[in-house]
């Protein structure tokens, strides 16, 4: 997977299509990602102490990594990424503007 925690991504399919957010968590074995503030679902939380009320919390659920596309930091467009070697290190780059991401 070419997606890392902290990357800015654009959703390309589903109910949040067209929205942009940052990656919170990456689950590489399941090929899923969680995006901050997107794909939110309600979860009921039980009261922690006696006398306290339970509440409903919005929780971001992970969705498949194929539904997101990385937004390049330099050209600000959603683009595919590639890998190239610069000396001894391996670098991810934007295929539209050739800048390092």
């Amino acid at each position: 997977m070419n997606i890392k925690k902290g990357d800015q991504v654009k959703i390309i399919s589903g109910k949040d299509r067209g929205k942009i957010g940052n990656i919170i968590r990456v689950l590489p074995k399941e090929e899923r990602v969680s995006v901050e503030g997107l794909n939110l679902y309600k979860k009921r939380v039980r009261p922690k102490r006696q006398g306290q009320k339970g509440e409903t919390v919005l929780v971001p659920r992970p969705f498949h990594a194929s539904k997101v596309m990385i937004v390049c930091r330099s050209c600000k467009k959603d683009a595919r990424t590639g890998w190239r070697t610069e000396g001894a290190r391996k670098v991810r780059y934007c295929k539209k503007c050739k800048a390092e991401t």
Side-chain angles (χ1 to χ4, degrees):
M1 272 180 23
N2 288 338
I3 301 169
K4 299 178 196 172
K5 181 180 176 181
D7 282 344
Q8 192 173 36
V9 293
K10 184 177 183 179
I11 310 302
I12 56 174
S13 70
K15 68 176 187 177
D16 292 321
R17 185 164 98 209
K19 294 182 182 176
I20 295 174
N22 292 323
I23 298 284
I24 301 171
R25 188 173 65 182
V26 178
L27 306 166
K29 287 183 182 174
E30 294 112 46
E31 293 184 358
R32 294 185 165 273
V33 293
S34 289
V35 180
E36 184 179 11
L38 299 176
N39 199 31
L40 297 174
Y41 284 86
K42 290 182 180 178
K43 180 180 179 184
R44 276 91 182 160
V45 179
R46 300 185 108 211
K48 291 187 171 45
R49 295 188 199 112
Q50 193 173 16
Q52 190 180 23
K53 288 187 177 180
E55 56 185 328
T56 305
V57 180
L58 291 173
V59 178
R61 280 197 186 160
F63 49 86
H64 202 268
S66 65
K67 292 187 174 190
V68 299
M69 200 168 209
I70 295 175
V71 176
C72 180
R73 292 181 193 142
S74 59
C75 63
K76 304 293 183 210
K77 295 178 184 174
D78 47 322
R80 293 180 178 178
T81 56
W83 293 92
R84 65 179 172 217
T85 54
E86 291 181 356
R89 65 186 196 123
K90 191 175 174 184
V91 178
R92 188 177 66 174
Y93 72 99
C94 170
K95 288 196 174 182
K96 283 188 179 177
C97 67
K98 308 292 185 213
E100 188 178 318
T101 58

